[in-house]
Amino acid sequence: MENVETFFSKIQSGNLEAVKAFIEDQPELIHTTDARGFTPLILASYFDKNDLAKALIDKKAPVDARDAMGNTALIGVAFKDNQEVAKYLLNHGADINEKNNHGVTPLIFASMYDKANMVKFLLDKGADKTLRDHEGKTALQHAESEGFEGVISYLL
């Protein structure tokens, strides 16, 4: 257990070499979760550790693994507006329309938080703007309810 906690601590701090060494010694760590249900890839993505996220993907971290809320790394980077990691995830097979426990896709999440550049990026990569969350709302409806004009312009 201590190894797992140390491993996740190294991810959070962005210690790329230490994380690589952990995975080399214990490859199964790539499939573990921390106390909050974060996978190594989700945690690296959440903390904008781009090089670390890419290294984890290269080591075959499951790109569509979910945290306790059902969020994937792509959903997380959509919220963070991190197109660099989003592109890498998509190039390695991440599902652009994957939904979390609330039915929220990366596009809906980006729309909810006024991430216009991410919305455009996801649409350009083929995100389905007709999908609805568990409230029955599309990305456009979320953006309209908040008055996010930049997001709305891309979704129309």
Side-chain angles (χ1 to χ4, degrees), residues 8-9 15 25 37 43 46 61 73 112 126 129 141 148:
F8 278 96
S9 173
N15 190 330
D25 291 342
L43 189 66
Y46 180 81
M112 291 169 68
K129 65 182 182 179
Q141 289 169 321
F148 297 147

Side-chain angles (χ1 to χ4, degrees), residues 87-104:
K87 182 177 180 181
Y88 209 74
L89 285 161
L90 291 169
N91 287 342
H92 287 82
D95 184 346
I96 198 165
N97 294 311
E98 190 72 33
K99 293 182 174 187
N100 70 10
N101 296 350
H102 301 286
V104 175

Side-chain angles (χ1 to χ4, degrees), residues 36-55:
R36 296 168 296 190
F38 290 141
T39 68
L41 178 57
I42 289 171
L43 189 66
S45 300
Y46 180 81
F47 284 101
D48 290 324
K49 307 297 184 193
N50 292 2
D51 290 341
L52 189 48
K54 290 176 182 180

Side-chain angles (χ1 to χ4, degrees), residues 126-141:
D128 185 345
K129 65 182 182 179
T130 67
L131 295 176
R132 297 176 181 273
D133 63 15
H134 290 336
E135 294 177 2
K137 290 182 167 182
T138 63
L140 177 60
Q141 289 169 321

